Amino acid sequence: GRRPHALVIGGAVASSSSSVVAFLEQLSHKAHGHHAPEVVLMGPHEPTPELLHEIKQRKLNRLCTHLVGNPVHETDCMRARAESCSMAFVLADMSAMDPDVEDE
């Protein structure tokens, strides 16, 4: 079978490479006493070149898959294997102009 995977969604996936990279570094840190899970990042569009560069530079790309999708769409959740993820996280975009819209 596949190893456990984490699903990561939210505004930060689309717009905040520093937040995503910091989160991935914590999730993959060996001191937690477990093997790092595979990570599916789901965002509304392709990742920014900055995010791809940061992930590759820190050698986190071997853990990550990026899917363009929306978590409210069943087909996107199926592609992300949401029903079998061992962890799910919502990373809010803390720099959003309208926090109420970000919370939706």
Side-chain angles (χ1 to χ4, degrees):
R2 294 177 178 256
R3 70 179 182 189
H5 77 284
L7 177 59
V8 182
I9 62 172
V13 173
S15 62
S16 179
S17 62
S18 60
S19 296
V20 173
V21 169
F23 177 80
L24 292 172
E25 286 181 324
Q26 282 298 311
L27 192 62
S28 66
H29 196 273
K30 290 175 178 49
H32 293 304
H34 59 78
H35 295 290
E38 291 179 19
V39 178
V40 176
L41 299 169
M42 184 188 294
H45 48 73
E46 292 292 331
T48 63
E50 295 82 16
L51 177 57
L52 292 175
H53 175 75
E54 292 294 321
I55 287 174
K56 186 173 183 179
Q57 186 176 36
R58 288 172 173 75
K59 297 183 175 27
L60 297 167
N61 54 322
R62 70 194 189 306
L63 298 174
C64 296
T65 301
H66 192 283
L67 297 177
V68 175
N70 185 325
V72 301
H73 297 138
E74 185 178 359
T75 54
D76 292 340
C77 287
M78 290 172 62
R79 288 176 37 237
R81 303 184 339 254
E83 75 286 346
S84 64
C85 71
S86 57
M87 298 171 265
F89 300 93
V90 178
L91 299 183
D93 179 5
M94 301 305 285
S95 64
M97 297 299 274
D98 188 341
D100 291 330
V101 170
E102 178 63 19
D103 286 346
E104 293 177 356

